[in-house]
Every structure is written in C-alpha cells, then in structure tokens.
Amino acid sequence: MDDLITREYETVSGIAGPLLFLERARTASMGEMVEILLPSGETRRGQVIELSEQHAIIQVLEETTGLGIAGTRVRLTESAAMMDLSPDLLGRRFNGVGLPIDGLPPIIPEARMEIIGRPLNPVARDKPAHFIQTGISTIDGLNTLVRGQKLPIFSGAGLPAKELAAQILRQANVREDLPSPPSPFKGEAKVGASAFAIVFAAMGVTFREASYFLQEFERGGVMEHTVVFLNLADDPTIERLLTPRYALTTAEYFAFTQGRHVLVILTDMAAYCEALRQIATAREEIPGRRGYPGYMYSDLASIYERAGRIRGKAGSITQLPILTMPDDDITHPIPDLTGYITEGQIVLSRELHRKGIFPPIDVLPSLSRLMNLGIGPGKTREDHRAVADQLYALYAQGRDVRRLAAIVGEEGLTDSDRRLLKLAQDFEQEFVNQGEQDRDIDGTLDLGWKFLRYLPKDRLTRVKPELIEKHYGANG
Amino acid sequence: MSGTIIKISGPTVVAREMAQTRMFNRVAVGRIGLLGEVIRVRRDEATIQVYEDTTGLALGDEVSDAGEPLLVELGPGLLGSIFDGVQRPLDVLAAEHGDWIARGLKLPALPRDRQWVFTPLVRPGTQVAGGACVGAIQETEKIQHRVLVPPGVSGTVLEIRGGTFTVTETIAVLDDDRPLAMLQRWPVRTPRPVAERLPPVVPFITGQRVFDMLFPVASGGTVIVPGGFGTGKTVVEQTLAKYAQADIIIYIGCGERGNEMTEVLADFPHLKDPTTGLPLMQRTVLVINTSNMPVAARETSIYTGITLAEYYRDMGYSVALMADSTSRWAEATREISARLEEMPGEEGYPTYLATKLAEFYERGGCVRCLGQADRQGSVTIVSAISPPGGDFSEPVTQSSMQVAGALWALDSDLAHRRHFPAINWKRSFSLYAAPLDPWFRAQVAPDWPQLRIDLAALLQKEEELQEIVQLVGIDALQDQERIALEVSRLVREEYLRQNAFSQIDAACPLEKQYWILKALLLFLHYCRERLKQGWAIEQLLGSPFRAELERMKETPPRDCVQQARAMIEKMGQEVGK
C-alpha cells in the first residue's frame, strides 16, 4: 500500500520524441506536472497526458536530448500547471512556461491559478459593445474591432503582420465617454492610471521578431503595462503548447480580478499548431487533415475563447492572434479552424504588399463579426454601416471590372465600369494605403465618402437617401 | 455498482469491474463525480466518455454506474431555459457557482420548487395509453403545456387532481398504483414514438425572400446550410430563430462562439415573436455548448435538443430546431471514435458517420401524434454545417446532403461582397418546392410557382450573359440582353439580398415577397416593350419605376404591397399587358 504515498518513480521504460513512458506510476493524475531528474542532477519539466495500467505518458516540455532510461527519476508535483499571479507581473518577462527570464526574482504571488482555465459560462458573458479605434481605416471603417473580441491577423511569410500589430498597439484607442486622447493606450493610462494591460506571448518566432515587439513596447512607453512570455524558435517546442495558456491565465487575472482592459497578442499561432501536430504524431494518433490532430479545433477554441467580458466586471480581454498561413492558403487547417472560432479575421494580401501598400489588408476576405456591436450613432457614426457595406460592394465590383478589363481592355468598358475601375484603384492607394498615419473614425468615414462620390447617387443603393443627402454633397 | 479506472486518455476513461453495466449507461467518474456515459463494453471493462475535463483523475479512482441511460428531463418550465449539452441549467449554474463552469456539479434541469397550475382534462375511470393528454398547464402566455401519458404506459386513471403542484408531485394515479407527475424523463438517444409520419405539405415560413420564394422548406422538413467561415451561417440560424413562424424554437449552439451566444441571450428577451407579439424567449429553449466547453457534451447537445423538440411536437406543436453547427457534433464523434481506436473512414470520421447523421435528421418530420387521432406536430431541422476550407465535398456535407430535403449553400464570394444571406442560387436546391406549390397557390397567389420559375430563369439567363461579357465585353450584347442583365442585378440587390439587421427588412411577409417580385419581373417586361418602342437603355435605367423598386424592401409591408400593385397597373397601362 505504500504505493499510495509514492511520489517518485524510477520506472522510465521508454522515450520517444517528446514523450516519456513511466511504468506503474499508480499515483499520477491527469494533467499533473512532473519533474524529471537526470543522473547529472539536471531537472526538466513534464506533464502527464495519458494514464493506463501499463504506463503514464509524460510530455517533456524541454527537449528529450540526453535523456536516458537508466538513473532517470520522475517526481510528481501533485499539481497541475499553475501560474503565480500578482500586479507585479507587469513589466516582467517570462519564458514559455512562466519562469522569469529578465534576471529578476520570481514574483510573490497574490493568487495562483491553473493555466488550463475553466470554460466561462456563456450566461456570465457580457455582450461586447465598445469600439476600439485602431487608427487604421480598413479596420476601423470596414472591420471594426470591439473590446472583448478575438480578431486574428492572417498573414503570409514575409508579410508585415508584426508591423501592423505594432501600429495597432501604438494607436489603439478605446473610445468610451472620454474624449479621444491622441495616444491611445498611453492616453488611457493617463486617465485611469492603470486601465489597460498588454499580454504578449511569442511562440516559435525568431529573436528578431520578438525584439521588434519589445522595442515597440519601449517606444510606445507601455513596457510597464506589459507582461511578456517568450518561447522563441530555438526554445523547446513542447513548451509552446503551454505558453498561450500561461499568457491567457495572466490576462484573465488582470481583466477580471484587476479590472483592466487587456490586449493579448499571440504570435505565431501556426507555430503553436505545429507543436500540437508534433505531439499528436508522437502519440501515434490518427491524423486529421494535413496531419493535424482531429481535436485541433477544440484545442484552439480553448485558447481563442478565453476572450471577452464578464457581466458585472470592469475588465475585458481582447485577443489579437497572429498566424502565418502556410503558402498563403486560407483553406489550410490552421487559418481555417481559426476562422471558425474567432470573431472574424484581418487578411493580409501579398498582391497589395507587392504594390507597396501598407498595411496590405485585403478587405474582401477580412471580416469583423462583432462590428455591428461597436458602431453606429453614439459609438462611431450613423452612416458607418452603410458606408462600409457600400464600399465593400463597390470595391468588389471594381475588382471584377479589373479582371474584365484585363481581358477586353479598358476601351471595352462602359462609363460606369470605368468609374468602378478607378474606384478600386484609388481605394487601394488611398484608403488602404495609409502607412504610418493615424486616422480617427471621422477621417476614415469621410475618406470613404470620397470614393462613394465616384458614382452617381442612384448607384448607392445600400445607403439610405437621408444619409446620401447629408454626406454626399452637392456634386453628383 | 461501481468499478475502478484503469486508463485515462483525454475525455475517455476505461474502468474495470463493470461487467454489470450496459451500453450508454450514465456513470459518475472519480471523486468529484464527473458525468460520463458508457460507450463500449468488453468483458468487465467499460469505456466511458466523460462530459467534463478529466484533469486530476487518477488510476484507481471510482466509477459508479447509475444503472440507467442519460435522460432528458421533460415538463413545464423548459421554455425560456438555457441548458448546456447535458441539460444543466446554465443560468442557475452561474447564479449558484459563479462565472466559470466548475466540474462535477449536478443540477436538475427543471426547478423543483416552482409551482404550476394543473388542469385535468380526463376523469377518473378513463382508459389512457401512451401519448394521451391527461391535463394541461399554461406554461407561457401562448403555449399550453399538455401533460401526456409517457409512451409505453397505459391503464385506467384511478385518481386525478387539479390544483397547484411542483413538477415532481403526483397529479394522477393509474391502476396498479402507478403515479404520474408532470416531470418525465426520456433517454436522450432514443427517438420518441409517433402514431404515423405524414408527408410535409405546409411551408416553414422564414420571412426570408431567397428561402421562401426560391428554396422553400416544409414544416417538418430538413434543410442543411453549409458554408465556410464568415459566410453567415450563424446569422441565418439566428434570423430564423427570430423571425420564422413556429410555435417553439429549440436553438442548439453546438461548439460555437461564446460571444455569439451572449448576443442571443441579450437580444432574445427583448425581441418579439412575429406571430404572437410575445417575448421571443417564451417560445425558445437554448442548448448551448460552446467550443471551449467539453467535447463529449457537445456530442450530446444535439440529442438533448432534438428530444426536447420531439416532446413539444408530441403535444401537437410545430417546432423548429436550429443546430449550429452539425459539423462540430460530427467532429466530436470523430474525436471520441479516435480515442476508441476505431478504424477511421473518410477524413478520419468514423465509418458510421452517415448512419448517425441520417438517424438524427430522421428525427425531424411531420407526424400524427401518439395518443390522439387529430393531433399533429412537426419538427423542422435547420442544420448549419462548417465544411473545412469551405469545400462541400467533405463527408459531413455530403452525408447530410443525401438525407436533407433542401440545401441552402452559402457562398464566400457573395459574403465578401456583403451580399447576405449569401445564398448561392446556382448550388442550392429544395425538394419541397413542388409539394408546397398547392399551399402557396391557395394561400398567397395562384401564380406563385410561376414567379419562382421566372425568377430562376432570369438568374440563369444572367449567368449565361455574364459569361459572354467576360469574354467579349458588354458591347457584344444587344439592348434586350443588356436590360435583362440590369434587371437581374436589380433582383439580386433588391430582392435576394435582405438585411437581417434592418427593422423593416429583417422579416418579409409572404405577400410582400410576392408583390415585390411580381413588380420586378413586370419591370423587365416593361423595359423590353419600351426598347421595342425605341426607348434608350439609359432612359429606362433612370426611370422612376426603378427608383421605386429600389426602395420597396425597406417599405412597411402594407404600403409596399399597395405601391407594387399601383406600379404594376401603371406599367401595364403604359405598355399593355
């Protein structure tokens, strides 16, 4: 019966890829964290992911290189993976599994939470309702970001997703009752002292990319409001599976215990999915599409769904995940499953990027599902929905005409088609291509009207006559 | 009866000493009693799917067998409720246990302390059998909840009392001292029996032009709505839940977004039922298992929902079941199957996927209810499907298509243009159109079917003309063809497109649907005649008729019908019928 109190085992029977097999580990429990003690005295960490009478399967967070069967001991910690929490986390930097890497001592926790997190009761959720002005026309005007939303950026290799995310961070402003301060997150910090926080989780990105973000935080003066989790490309792959969970547990603490508006940046979700596939393959699971496990949807949902607001609580979590679409393919399982979970997506286009347009946001496949909750009278402007719908419709038609013109030539076009062609062209060059400029929502919508005026009033069938009357002007 | 855990893998657990158990028995797993269901029995080992997160379970933990399958609670108080996939009331859960869903919580689906006024409808001495109505309760202002003798039970009523009771109190006693309460239980995976299945002949009126006019679905029919992400599946489901004509709506949020459910929860109490004017929540039951809630409960949510639907059907109501989305259910099936190490079929789905889907869809239908000859009820199923990459050739879409009577195919190209509902009229179909024609002819207008044919023909014509334009430019078309193209565009913009968020246009009554389309099609005739008389195309495009047509859908129904009629008359006068 001493089995019941055994907490240390020397029964390692096999190691395969990132997995370690431990025989007769009767006292282990699912999800429990373990310490793996090497004969050299070195310690690695692992997590129990399957239990059977033959063995417990442990996923080793660090590499299994140098790990042997002989002399290796496994110690159970009697605890699932936990994150220590305190307001002192702000301004700190951690590795992918929540250990400090900035040379400072560990924080003194005020609370500890399991990083898995429990599902939020749908009834307890509050409806997102606040417009976040990002200063980017294609987002604010056409794919509005709302507080509590999860809106990923679908990027491709070499496309400027991080520059876009950094610009959003710099400019993002949460319009509430306050007049909009010029510099957003900083502005809010001034108003409410500590109304916001940024949680940044890097998974499998290069040092160059991560340091770009860190510099941006410094540059924006928001470093003391930021918690950073770094699992870089050369860090252990399996740790990556836990990194977003440490980050989101931290975000939940700041949002729902500390009452802050938290913006979470997760990059790169594609690297996370690769790690997930790696573990699944090692476990000899039946692979789903392109070798990714069949439960990837549920797994991703357990990350993305940790965004939103709770009734009666002040804070919120807004997620801005970044993912690289393999081969720019939006039907690849990673962007595909993400799109089914998130509340829309911002899609970057290689074609626009090649034309030198920044940010190269392709508005047609982009979408914000929560847009209607954040716009309209009292939030943005009464003409917002109509302008967005009409611009979408006309730009889509303009792109059709462009394809047509490539075949039949511009001479073969009717007058109205020529207008549409020009509209598509100028829309990309002016509305989309705004560079580093910070446009407020009025500026964005007014600019939108400029393009609507390319067509006679009676072609604007998605705009109500009274709005046309008000905004179209005399020339038409 | 209890066993011990010998294996844990994700949401599945294997327990030993379970020789006495039966397939699909309900079990409690581990110290905190996680809810589970037996899905495989081999010798004395039972494999269990657990409806809650298994973190913290250990080998040797106890599994106790309830000796009965997972049951759904049925009775008054269901309407207006919000349940999770295994019918725990989420609002009570939040009130009692906080914002995050803890594990191992057991809560009755129906409140035990609530009192209901029961009115008996039979006298002592009456012979009753399964499905017979013994009494009624006014559950909401509109819905009279009929207390039925459970299927399979029959006998003589010895005693029956009117008055105020809770759901568990005895309201009647049958011979052999068998008590009857309002609360009944039914196994979640077993279809409720009916007297007879009937062919569907009445439409399920959605208030959406593209559906009612082009691809109508019968009350008791099954329609699938596949579409890639962002094509508007959820908006279609929610619009139907809001505006479709049905006595009862069962809305299943299966593996979808939490924030979307919040919108439903926030909006429905303030919206009004289009037919009764009462708060929408009074006709609605929500079954919500969002994507981050446990996978196995997602699998059950569909069955919980359809059992609730059948229960109200058996009382003689028309029920519409919105399943958003069936793909998430299928994926849950796949995940469980993989854990059982079953040989996978196409794309990793179990080989019995098609059978399970067909069984589910077949629980819809129009029926003569058990127990009373003239009582009819129906369950209409609207099933959203999320094909990976928007590719309809995948197994869930294909298997569903074989069973469903109608397909509303969503299209990402239309969605990108913000044309909603983004229904691709080339791909969609409805097998109910012809059987429903007599109803439309009698109830709306004799030429309703003809309008549908003309509309489809015009859209087809546009398709052909577009191909020519793509090849050689618009100049190659003659004026008669160009005008067809222009009117077709008008039809797409002003008829097929419908704004789910507009106060007036969100729901369009059949009469309005009919008259707008009639006016549009007559406008085409008018233009053609005018062209023959030598008018120029530009003249026609600038015509006040066209401007009027463009504003019609945003005109309140009664005015709109008047306008359309006046306009049709005027056009007729100008060019001759």
Side-chain angles (χ1 to χ4, degrees), chain B residues 286-355:
Chain B
L286 300 172
V287 179
I288 296 181
N289 221 88
T290 55
S291 56
N292 56 335
M293 286 157 79
V295 172
R298 193 188 301 165
E299 196 264 340
T300 319
S301 65
I302 291 275
Y303 294 108
T304 303
I306 192 96
T307 308
L308 296 176
E310 286 175 338
Y311 178 61
Y312 280 99
R313 173 204 67 192
D314 290 347
M315 293 179 211
Y317 291 115
S318 66
V319 185
L321 178 121
M322 311 289 154
D324 183 16
S325 97
T326 310
S327 294
R328 304 296 164 228
W329 167 82
E331 282 164 10
T333 314
R334 172 169 70 185
E335 190 172 335
I336 306 288
S337 163
R339 303 270 180 201
L340 291 175
E341 293 172 8
E342 291 172 338
M343 190 64 88
E346 211 181 332
E347 297 216 2
Y349 285 105
T351 45
Y352 47 79
L353 174 76
T355 320

Side-chain angles (χ1 to χ4, degrees), chain A residues 376-377 379-385 441-442 445-446 449 471:
Chain A
K379 290 175 174 170
T380 56
R381 244 167 60 174
E382 53 170 358
D383 58 332
H384 195 153
R385 181 79 254 172
I441 185 65
D442 284 321
L445 293 176
D446 291 343
W449 276 101
H471 296 279

Side-chain angles (χ1 to χ4, degrees), chain A residues 29-30 50-51 53 118-119 121 125 127 297 305 310 313 336 339-343 366 369 392 400 462, chain B residues 6-8 16 56-57 90 99-101 230 255 257-259 262 267 328 387-389 416-418 493:
Chain A
S29 66
M30 275 295 273
E50 184 171 322
L51 284 170
E53 285 194 315
R118 296 274 165 248
N121 189 327
R125 280 182 186 271
K127 201 162 131 177
Y297 175 83
E305 275 291 321
I310 297 182
K313 299 216 164 138
D336 190 50
Y340 275 121
I341 304 164
T342 53
E343 282 129 4
S366 297
R369 288 165 193 275
Y392 259 113
D400 284 350
R462 303 199 179 186
Chain B
I6 57 163
K7 183 176 181 198
I8 310 161
R16 188 167 287 157
L57 287 182
L90 284 169
D99 300 334
W100 311 87
I101 300 178
R257 304 176 182 88
N259 275 336
T262 310
D267 293 350
R328 304 296 164 228
H416 290 173
R417 293 154 192 273
R418 301 306 188 255
E493 282 286 310

